[in-house]
Amino acid sequence: MRELRSPSEGRERSGSVTDFVGRRRELKELREDIARTGLDTLSGRKAKAPRARVLLVAGRPGSGRTALAEEFVREVAEEYPDGVLRTRLTRPGGETVATERAVRGLLEGLGRPTPPGAGEDELSSALRTALDGRRVIILVDDAADPHQVDALLPDTPECLVVVTAEGPLTGIPDVRPCTLGGLDTPSAVELLAQHIGDTRVTADPRAAEALAEECGGQPAALCLVGGWLAAHPKASVSDVAKQLHEMPASTGGPLARCFRLAYESLPQPAQRTLRLLPLAPAGLVDSHTASALAGCSVAAAQATLDDFAGLGLVHPAHDGLFLLPGCLAPLLQALLEAKERPAEVQLARARMLERTVRLLHSCRAMAVVGEEDVREVLDGLPRALRFPDRRAAATWLDTRLPALDAAASLAVADGELDTLARRLVAALVRALAEHRGTAGAAPELYGLHRLVLDVAERRDLHREQAAALLNLADLDAETGRTQEALERYRAALDAGRAANDPYATGRAMESVGGAYQELADWHRAADWFGRALSQALARGERADEARLYGRLGNVHTYAGRYGDALRSWRAAAAGYRKLADVPGQAKALSEMARVQEYAGRPEESLHTCREAVELARRAGDQRLQAALQVRLADTLDRLGDPAAARLHRSAADRLLGDDPAACEIRSDID
């Protein structure tokens, strides 16, 4: 069976490193529930729509609901040969994951592309299509509400969806929750023995049972107290049970008491590091994050995280990452608010964001080809912030992306760290573009540009607002949302004018023209290209002038205004000649020849095309030269000279060999 890995927040598993114990009755009930006849819980009738069976494991945080769901998935996985997908719908800090992000992560796990800016409905439809005909398990961890889950449900009954949540999911048809309480005493003692060894349990079985009762049979509490006992081999099990029992009622329930036991045993520096972990985006922590938050060395932070993992305070994830358990997040947040001054918290957050920016600069540098460029960036960075090679940098970017996205979102939402937030988003955009390419990173870039827009609008930064709107509009245009792109291009024009930024206004006017061209509104397209051209002429921007003359020529050609088209292409060719851009001049002349042929002037077309062939030859552009030779041949055929036409086709064949498709001329200004 294949393991389908979703790169979303749900990729990290939050279970304990111990072997699964107990819950045999619950596992049996879940297995039997797969085959139960589906009923619509609202009407009591048999469900009409053939959807995937949904199984719900409900329980309070720390009850072991995720561990049970994982164990159940492991047991039935062979019956679903197309793999397992995982996603988490609530971050450890309690923030819900956007449904679009969760669906996008599942699609990426299936190897399906996700268009940037796509909405929830479009993505959900794409997910259902991708799962059609497959037998897949989707494990949905920590669902907050039924709407989140409904968007992930396949329409095929061959799939299975296993959901964990704190309570029932009212509104999802035919879901009967498997509600968890504490472990039975033998299972609780067995879980405890996995941490402290059989010898200490066998030496005093009554004390072990008493300790299990003090923990309420709660797996998270048992793991914490077991981790503490493992770190203190001389401590008595009975003494720990007594210590927990004597804690005041105000301490809280079993989990809070076991957490207090572990927390108070830590040295002061480690206590402070632990208190600051709720600031880690998406609950994901590595040595750099902990180092920046606590203001200590990376090596010291790594040792501290390893100690935390041994105590059950964090869970090892992968690639040096640790996951903050969601059940501990409220306890840590309460400590953070009680013991840390707001100014110190903001300073720790700023240090973490600054460290992230520097790591992103280092990550991006490893994707740059030139050694001098890499050395220039890395010279200013400590050795601990450098990556050994490009692959290591790319792996870091991939595994940290959920945390990096969350860091950018939180920094923007904070409102007090806008300068750092802008730097972070810019660094993340550049790193993604270098490692994945603009097209490959487009879904992530779309969200990042929206964050930039949020900050720019809040701070009245018109130039940055225009840039963000242009970037978003470009992505809209590339995915066929032309009307949305047009609206954003117009908004970018207004922002560019407010910033008195001629580059932004010129770019926006040209893009508005391009959107109208895509909508086949030739009159408006020509009008906006003309406005952009007027600005370029006024500023003496020759390269822009030549390109815009070409875009005008293209629009006039589509509209059948051949006289206007010829004038525009002639001006474009003259502009490229002044720029000494021989390939550009050749392409402009080739378009002139095409328009002359459309206008019924084959002799002029033949002359212009020959001139373009000579320029393409001088430029060393064999593909363009061959395409023009084919155009010459077609024109000669229409003029009744097949012998000359055959000569030009032969010349094109010699230039390109076995690649006849390369003979198609495409205008670079389309």
Side-chain angles (χ1 to χ4, degrees):
M1 187 207 71
R2 292 187 303 117
E3 176 77 358
L4 300 174
R5 299 288 300 214
S6 168
S8 67
E9 285 86 345
R11 183 173 175 176
E12 294 75 25
R13 304 186 193 179
S14 58
S16 156
V17 296
T18 58
D19 294 331
F20 186 80
V21 299
R23 307 292 195 193
R24 302 321 303 175
R25 178 181 58 81
E26 290 87 346
L27 287 167
K28 181 181 177 183
E29 288 179 358
L30 287 168
R31 181 175 279 280
E32 291 173 349
D33 211 27
I34 296 178
R36 187 169 57 86
T37 303
L39 296 177
D40 186 329
T41 54
L42 298 180
S43 65
R45 301 191 185 97
K46 187 174 180 179
K48 296 179 181 179
R51 301 188 82 181
R53 163 64 79 198
V54 181
L55 304 180
L56 172 61
V57 180
R60 294 178 62 80
S63 63
R65 62 194 185 197
T66 300
L68 174 61
E70 287 281 4
E71 177 66 13
F72 174 71
V73 166
R74 187 189 65 78
E75 289 189 3
V76 301
E78 291 184 359
E79 300 168 27
Y80 296 86
D82 292 318
V84 179
L85 284 168
R86 293 175 171 82
T87 189
R88 177 183 291 115
L89 298 184
T90 305
R91 296 191 177 112
E95 309 91 356
T96 57
V97 175
T99 305
E100 293 92 335
R101 180 175 294 281
V103 181
R104 194 183 294 280
L106 294 176
L107 282 167
E108 291 174 5
L110 289 164
R112 296 297 182 97
T114 56
E120 179 184 321
D121 291 342
E122 182 182 349
L123 291 170
S124 294
S125 177
L127 177 62
R128 294 186 176 108
T129 300
L131 291 172
D132 188 36
R134 294 178 182 245
R135 290 182 61 82
V136 169
I137 300 175
I138 302 178
L139 177 52
V140 182
D141 197 16
D142 219 357
D145 62 67
H147 174 76
Q148 285 181 302
V149 177
D150 187 67
L152 310 178
L153 296 183
D155 283 334
T156 170
E158 286 76 24
C159 291
L160 175 67
V161 180
V162 181
V163 185
T164 73
E166 187 165 353
L169 295 175
T170 306
I172 302 292
D174 191 32
V175 178
R176 182 175 62 187
C178 173
T179 305
L180 301 185
L183 289 169
D184 58 78
T185 300
S187 297
V189 171
E190 183 182 350
L191 180 57
L192 192 62
Q194 289 185 4
H195 288 275
I196 66 175
D198 293 333
T199 303
R200 293 170 82 179
V201 170
T202 305
D204 195 348
R206 289 183 180 276
E209 291 176 1
L211 182 56
E213 288 183 14
E214 288 297 331
C215 293
Q218 195 171 0
L222 287 162
C223 288
L224 285 174
V225 75
W228 187 91
L229 280 166
H232 299 81
K234 294 183 179 180
S236 163
V237 175
S238 59
D239 287 345
V240 174
K242 182 180 179 182
Q243 186 176 346
L244 291 175
H245 182 74
E246 292 176 350
M247 284 186 183
S250 59
T251 304
L255 180 62
R257 292 200 297 272
C258 293
F259 170 75
R260 177 175 171 179
L261 175 73
Y263 172 78
E264 291 183 348
S265 69
L266 296 172
Q268 288 293 330
Q271 286 185 2
R272 184 167 187 272
T273 300
L274 186 62
R275 289 197 300 268
L276 292 169
L277 291 190
L279 301 178
L284 292 170
V285 192
D286 63 8
S287 56
H288 280 290
T289 305
S291 165
L293 286 172
C296 64
S297 70
V298 175
Q302 183 64 55
T304 301
L305 289 174
D306 290 336
D307 290 342
F308 289 168
L311 291 168
L313 295 167
V314 296
H315 294 149
H318 58 87
D319 298 304
L321 277 169
F322 295 85
L323 182 66
L324 183 66
C327 60
L328 298 185
L331 301 172
L332 289 170
Q333 185 64 38
L335 279 173
L336 179 67
E337 293 172 0
K339 294 185 174 292
E340 298 291 334
R341 291 178 299 175
E344 289 295 326
V345 172
Q346 196 72 324
L347 180 60
R349 183 180 283 114
R351 285 197 305 265
M352 178 183 66
L353 294 177
E354 181 64 39
R355 176 73 60 86
T356 305
V357 170
R358 300 180 77 189
L359 282 165
L360 284 167
H361 286 322
S362 177
C363 177
R364 180 197 176 205
M366 297 310 300
V368 178
V369 176
E371 288 188 16
E372 292 298 326
D373 297 327
V374 175
R375 190 176 297 112
E376 183 178 345
V377 174
L378 297 184
D379 279 347
L381 291 174
R383 187 170 298 277
L385 301 184
R386 302 182 188 183
F387 297 96
D389 51 43
R390 176 172 182 152
R391 176 176 293 182
T395 299
W396 177 86
L397 183 62
D398 289 341
T399 56
R400 270 62 173 180
L401 190 55
L404 292 168
D405 281 337
S409 299
L410 291 170
V412 170
D414 181 276
E416 296 182 9
L417 298 170
D418 280 348
T419 300
L420 261 176
R422 288 154 57 201
R423 289 177 56 217
L424 174 61
V425 173
L428 183 51
V429 166
R430 294 189 186 107
L432 283 167
E434 288 289 350
H435 280 278
R436 298 186 177 184
T438 303
E444 288 80 14
L445 296 180
Y446 197 90
L448 292 171
H449 292 317
R450 284 198 293 196
L451 291 177
V452 173
L453 183 60
D454 289 344
V455 176
E457 289 177 341
R458 184 166 64 216
R459 296 286 185 177
D460 289 329
L461 304 171
H462 299 298
R463 181 175 284 104
E464 292 189 16
Q465 185 179 348
L469 286 165
L470 287 169
N471 288 327
L472 286 167
D474 287 344
L475 291 170
D476 284 331
E478 289 169 10
T479 49
R481 296 191 298 273
T482 309
Q483 196 61 48
E484 292 89 337
L486 181 58
E487 292 173 6
R488 281 197 161 117
Y489 285 137
R490 285 184 171 277
L493 178 59
D494 292 338
R497 285 170 173 163
N500 195 25
D501 185 341
Y503 169 77
T505 55
R507 164 93 153 74
M509 286 189 287
E510 181 178 352
S511 297
V512 170
Y516 278 123
Q517 179 179 341
E518 188 67 25
L519 295 170
D521 189 337
W522 315 124
H523 176 75
R524 284 193 174 92
D527 176 46
W528 282 99
F529 287 147
R531 297 186 196 192
L533 176 61
S534 296
Q535 179 172 295
L537 289 168
R539 294 178 58 82
E541 298 165 344
R542 291 188 175 182
D544 291 341
E545 292 172 24
R547 186 186 67 258
L548 287 163
Y549 272 124
R551 300 205 73 167
L552 273 170
N554 208 33
V555 170
H556 290 318
T557 302
Y558 281 127
R561 297 190 291 268
Y562 299 133
D564 291 336
L566 283 173
R567 282 189 289 274
S568 295
W569 281 118
R570 192 172 287 111
Y576 286 121
R577 185 179 64 250
K578 291 176 183 176
L579 291 167
D581 184 346
V582 178
Q585 186 182 357
K587 291 175 184 177
L589 288 175
S590 75
E591 294 299 322
M592 272 185 65
R594 179 162 66 102
V595 175
Q596 287 167 337
E597 189 169 341
Y598 290 164
R601 296 150 67 174
E603 294 289 349
E604 291 182 25
S605 175
L606 190 64
H607 174 76
T608 305
C609 203
R610 282 173 173 155
E611 188 178 351
V613 167
E614 176 58 25
L615 287 169
R617 185 191 64 76
R618 283 170 46 195
D621 191 336
Q622 289 190 344
R623 291 172 67 88
L624 178 60
Q625 188 180 349
L628 289 166
Q629 294 277 12
V630 172
R631 177 168 287 170
L632 270 173
D634 292 341
T635 304
L636 287 166
D637 274 333
R638 282 188 284 274
L639 289 173
D641 192 350
R646 283 194 297 273
L647 288 174
H648 285 289
R649 285 198 177 90
S650 297
D653 290 341
R654 287 194 300 273
L655 285 166
L656 293 176
D658 297 327
D659 188 16
C663 289
E664 180 182 358
I665 297 180
R666 295 185 182 275
S667 172
D668 63 345
I669 46 72
D670 284 355

